[in-house]
Amino acid sequence: MIGIGFRVAVVSAALVIAIILLVVGYVLWQLTPGQLRETPGPTDVHITLDTVDLSIAVLGVGGLAIAFAGIAAWMIARRAVRPIAEAARMQRTFVADASHELRTPLTVLHARVQHLRMMTPTGDPRRAVVDELQGDTRVLIDIVNDLLDAAAGAEATGGVADLDAALITLRRDMAVLAAQRQVHLEVTSTGSSLAGTTLAVSGTQLQRCLVALTDNAIGHTRREGHVSVAADKDGPYVRIRVSDDGPGITGIAPNRVFDRFAHGAPSATAGEAGTRTGYGIGLALVRDVAVRAGGDIIVERTGTGGTVFALRLPIARPSAEECDWKDDR
């Protein structure tokens, strides 16, 4: 709000200053020898003004006009952004309340899964599924905590995440959803240029971004379609592209899909193709994580041939201890 009011005040002040300069220019022009020697006509009114008094009057009126414009701009901006601020407050309150209500049942669920794991022998073929359930409940708890931090406006935790591990986990978890929707999922492992790369986000935040983008791609891809996830290096960043061959973004500008509760119109063949329309929350949360980490996300391409989302996240700088260890080697 302050930024908007300041910009409006600057524009208003510029207009007032421009008017003052025009008045001063006209007065100076009237004081030129040619204008002073001009013989007044029968209908002309000849007025004598003191230059000093006129300058003081112009500057005084101009200063008051600038101050009035600034106050008016601040009041107008405050009134204009009030609905936006209220909507943002309601969204933060909803996220905080929903996350808080989920914490207790998730904690109970995690405890029960741990108990189930203790009751399942190591050689039992069901032990692997129980282990995965335990990891999933732990991830859910971390996500809820991260949502609470985001709703409270807390700074990023400054954790780091292993890119290879995140992609492996993504392939394992999302393969189940892709199989259910009859979509071919391909997650490309990092090449030699990205081997061992860590990103400047927590593991939970990275997993949230990857899952949300992949889930969005799977949900908007026709049956028997393809979704691919691949990463490459982009200077001090890693760019992760999530591609699908769905109908593309329709009914909304591509850059607006990251707004909360904004979503495109379903395609004409959505029902036949098995695609779905989301609630407009997942992509907004991805952008929130990316921006908080110092990265960004864009719609790199969209059309009838599919959509490509490009998530860019900063590479974590090695700590001083890691640098010393590498130097010693």
Side-chain angles (χ1 to χ4, degrees), residues 149-182:
D149 291 339
E155 295 293 332
T157 58
V160 295
D162 184 271
L163 180 59
D164 282 317
L167 291 177
I168 292 172
T169 302
L170 179 73
R171 183 190 299 114
R172 182 198 67 196
D173 294 345
M174 299 306 292
V176 178
L177 180 61
Q180 288 179 347
R181 297 192 60 84
Q182 301 176 29

Side-chain angles (χ1 to χ4, degrees), residues 95-96 99 142-152 208 285 292:
V95 172
S99 301
D142 292 340
I143 289 174
V144 168
N145 291 333
D146 191 62
L147 287 174
L148 283 171
D149 291 339
R208 282 177 55 196
L285 294 177
R292 287 168 62 199

Side-chain angles (χ1 to χ4, degrees), residues 66-303:
I66 292 174
F68 175 78
I71 295 173
W74 179 79
M75 294 179 65
I76 293 172
R78 182 179 181 182
R79 186 179 183 86
V81 303
R82 188 176 300 163
I84 301 175
E86 180 64 18
R89 185 193 66 79
M90 292 178 62
Q91 291 177 6
R92 288 194 299 269
T93 301
F94 169 76
V95 172
D97 290 347
S99 301
H100 184 270
E101 291 300 316
L102 287 171
R103 291 185 71 179
T104 300
L106 281 175
T107 302
V108 173
L109 178 62
H110 186 64
R112 288 177 175 172
V113 172
Q114 285 181 311
H115 188 211
L116 178 61
R117 183 176 183 272
M118 294 174 60
M119 298 172 57
T120 307
T122 305
D124 194 313
R126 294 168 293 188
R127 178 63 179 264
V129 177
V130 175
D131 290 341
E132 291 180 357
L133 283 175
Q134 183 183 23
D136 292 340
T137 55
R138 180 70 260 173
V139 169
L140 285 174
I141 293 173
D142 292 340
I143 289 174
V144 168
N145 291 333
D146 191 62
L147 287 174
L148 283 171
D149 291 339
E155 295 293 332
T157 58
V160 295
D162 184 271
L163 180 59
D164 282 317
L167 291 177
I168 292 172
T169 302
L170 179 73
R171 183 190 299 114
R172 182 198 67 196
D173 294 345
M174 299 306 292
V176 178
L177 180 61
Q180 288 179 347
R181 297 192 60 84
Q182 301 176 29
V183 172
H184 302 284
L185 174 63
E186 179 184 0
V187 180
T188 305
S189 301
T190 58
S192 58
S193 61
L194 288 176
T197 298
T198 56
L199 302 181
V201 292
S202 68
T204 300
Q205 291 172 332
L206 178 58
Q207 208 63 36
R208 282 177 55 196
C209 292
L210 294 178
V211 168
L213 289 172
T214 308
D215 174 63
N216 178 77
I218 293 173
H220 290 83
T221 299
R222 300 175 178 88
R223 289 190 175 92
E224 301 302 327
H226 294 78
V227 171
S228 65
V229 181
D232 57 47
K233 192 173 182 180
D234 182 15
Y237 297 87
V238 166
R239 190 179 300 274
I240 304 171
R241 290 181 172 87
V242 180
S243 311
D244 64 66
D245 54 6
I249 299 172
T250 58
I252 189 174
N255 61 332
R256 287 202 57 232
V257 297
F258 303 108
D259 296 341
R260 277 181 170 82
F261 308 115
H263 53 78
S267 63
T269 59
E272 302 173 4
T275 60
R276 61 172 168 81
T277 299
Y279 296 99
I281 299 177
L283 295 179
L285 294 177
V286 172
R287 181 179 64 176
D288 179 67
V289 170
V291 171
R292 287 168 62 199
D296 58 35
I297 181 172
I298 62 171
V299 179
E300 196 170 77
R301 174 179 58 81
T302 187

Side-chain angles (χ1 to χ4, degrees), residues 29-39:
W29 176 65
Q30 288 293 324
L31 294 176
T32 58
Q35 292 295 319
L36 291 175
R37 289 194 299 267
E38 183 179 351
T39 303

